[in-house]
Amino acid sequence: VQVRLSQGSETDHFLNIFKGQLAILMVPPGRRRSQSSTQAESRLFLVKGKIPLRIVTEQVSCRAASLNSSHAFLLITPKGTTMAWAGKGSSQAERRAAVGIARVVGQKGKEPQRLLEGEETQHFWQAIGGRASYSTDVQLETPSKPLARLFVCCILGERLTTEEIFHFSQADLFEKDIMLLDTSTQIFLWVGKQYETTQSIHILKIGIDFLDTDQQGRTSDTVPITIVYQHNEPVTFSSHFTGWSDRFWDEEPLSVATEEARVVGKRDSLASLESAAAGTDGDSAMPSMSASPEPPALETQLEETPSALNLAAADDV
């Protein structure tokens, strides 16, 4: 499994690894990350998250305007004094995390002074650079996430098209295709074991192009893209499929009729796309497989299907 993450768009699985103690530090301009230095100025950390194991601590500009009533903050002075500031709308998880993260980014063995919003000391305001206005609007809980959506990806040269599958299940994951699962906060690209890797377009680029055309303002820099290979699906992917079974493809293989029908349907879809790309010239349009009045018998279908497009083209000449 390959995952592409951007800062600020970490997945729940990634955050769980740090058990609520992920701290993102600021590197001053002109200084390398490997260079050690003494802290000559106060440092301010935003502690954000409603669930203990998914809390993120991020260093922000040390000034009063950076404060926010919806979260907790940790202030560390050059002398090592630590103060845990709790906004009126901060969660209990954030307040406890602010105290705990002080042991990670502050001096060991020192417990931070706990301050509630509205009860700040003069020392606190001096250390943060003086009083100033900041956001006091308490943010409400994020509304429930929309349902995940599944798309089958069709690639014609450098052109990518996607077709949505409604009311999907595990049976809709076809082994010869790339499937795109959109959970609104993450994009999964599922690669079937029989997918032909000779395609000119890169798998990751499918997710990037999908997000770059998103009408909700999402981009590949704000939404994680995860590449998942068949038989190695993580729980974060499989949980979106009701009744998921790791042995599905072993226990319930697609019947010949089902697989053949899907192949014919896909070729029909690709023919329509190529016809649209060719313009309105009827002579250049590929005939549709569904134009045949009577489908071939099941026992002869496997032999006739590979050349069905060529036979139909020959009849038009």
Side-chain angles (χ1 to χ4, degrees):
V1 177
Q2 303 176 30
V3 182
R4 181 180 184 269
L5 292 175
S6 298
Q7 181 178 336
S9 301
E10 296 82 2
T11 62
D12 291 344
H13 176 72
F14 178 83
L15 296 178
N16 286 340
I17 297 175
F18 295 89
K19 301 185 183 302
Q21 293 189 335
L22 173 62
I24 303 173
L25 307 180
M26 294 175 59
V27 179
R31 181 183 301 162
R32 297 180 180 178
R33 290 180 175 85
S34 59
Q35 290 179 335
S36 59
S37 62
T38 58
Q39 299 296 337
E41 298 178 353
S42 297
R43 293 178 293 161
L44 184 65
F45 296 86
L46 164 65
V47 183
K48 184 177 181 180
K50 303 301 181 184
I51 301 176
L53 292 180
R54 299 172 188 171
I55 286 179
V56 176
T57 300
E58 182 178 359
Q59 186 174 358
V60 295
S61 178
C62 189
R63 56 195 181 101
S66 298
L67 297 175
N68 190 309
S69 296
S70 297
H71 304 294
F73 288 79
L74 180 69
L75 178 64
I76 304 178
T77 68
K79 294 183 179 181
T81 302
T82 57
M83 289 171 274
W85 183 88
K88 293 180 180 179
S90 61
S91 65
Q92 289 297 326
E94 290 174 332
R95 298 182 184 190
R96 287 192 293 266
V99 175
I101 203 68
R103 305 184 183 99
V104 178
V105 297
Q107 291 186 6
K108 295 182 179 180
K110 278 194 173 184
E111 286 294 319
Q113 178 185 0
R114 306 186 189 195
L115 299 173
L116 294 176
E117 183 178 8
E119 299 178 2
E120 299 85 358
T121 63
Q122 189 62 28
H123 183 207
F124 173 85
W125 292 118
Q126 290 177 350
I128 206 172
R131 292 176 181 268
S133 59
Y134 58 87
S135 176
T136 56
D137 294 332
V138 177
Q139 299 174 0
L140 299 177
E141 291 287 343
T142 304
S144 57
K145 297 179 181 179
L147 296 176
R149 303 170 66 190
L150 184 68
F151 299 83
V152 59
C153 302
C154 299
I155 304 173
L156 296 173
E158 294 292 334
R159 183 184 175 190
L160 168 68
T161 61
T162 57
E163 181 178 351
E164 184 169 4
I165 299 177
F166 298 94
H167 310 293
F168 62 86
S169 66
Q170 188 176 358
D172 293 309
L173 298 175
F174 302 117
E175 297 178 283
K176 296 181 180 179
D177 290 330
I178 291 181
M179 311 295 294
L180 188 149
L181 182 69
D182 182 4
T183 68
S184 77
T185 58
Q186 188 171 4
I187 296 296
F188 290 95
L189 293 169
W190 182 89
V191 184
K193 66 178 182 181
Q194 297 182 26
Y195 171 73
E196 298 180 1
T197 57
T198 56
Q199 298 285 1
S200 58
I201 190 169
H202 193 277
I203 295 176
L204 181 61
K205 191 175 186 298
I206 295 176
I208 295 176
D209 290 347
F210 180 84
L211 286 171
D212 288 346
T213 58
D214 182 65
Q215 298 181 353
Q216 300 178 5
R218 299 179 303 171
T219 68
S220 56
D221 292 328
T222 60
V223 178
I225 301 175
T226 303
I227 300 177
V228 176
Y229 293 91
Q230 186 177 358
H231 296 303
N232 293 283
E233 295 86 358
V235 176
T236 50
F237 174 84
S238 61
S239 61
H240 294 282
F241 296 81
T242 303
W244 178 274
S245 172
D246 291 334
R247 301 181 60 188
F248 173 81
W249 288 281
D250 299 329
E251 296 176 346
E252 305 176 27
L254 290 175
S255 65
V256 175
T258 301
E259 174 64 12
E260 187 61 26
R262 194 189 73 78
V263 171
V264 172
K266 186 175 181 181
R267 286 178 176 170
D268 195 17
S269 178
L270 293 177
S272 299
L273 291 173
E274 291 180 350
S275 176
T280 57
D281 186 358
D283 296 336
S284 62
M286 296 182 66
S288 171
M289 292 293 294
S290 60
S292 177
E294 296 183 2
L298 178 61
E299 58 269 17
T300 62
Q301 201 168 9
L302 285 175
E303 297 181 0
E304 296 179 3
T305 299
S307 58
L309 290 176
N310 293 333
L311 290 175
D315 292 340
D316 292 342
V317 176

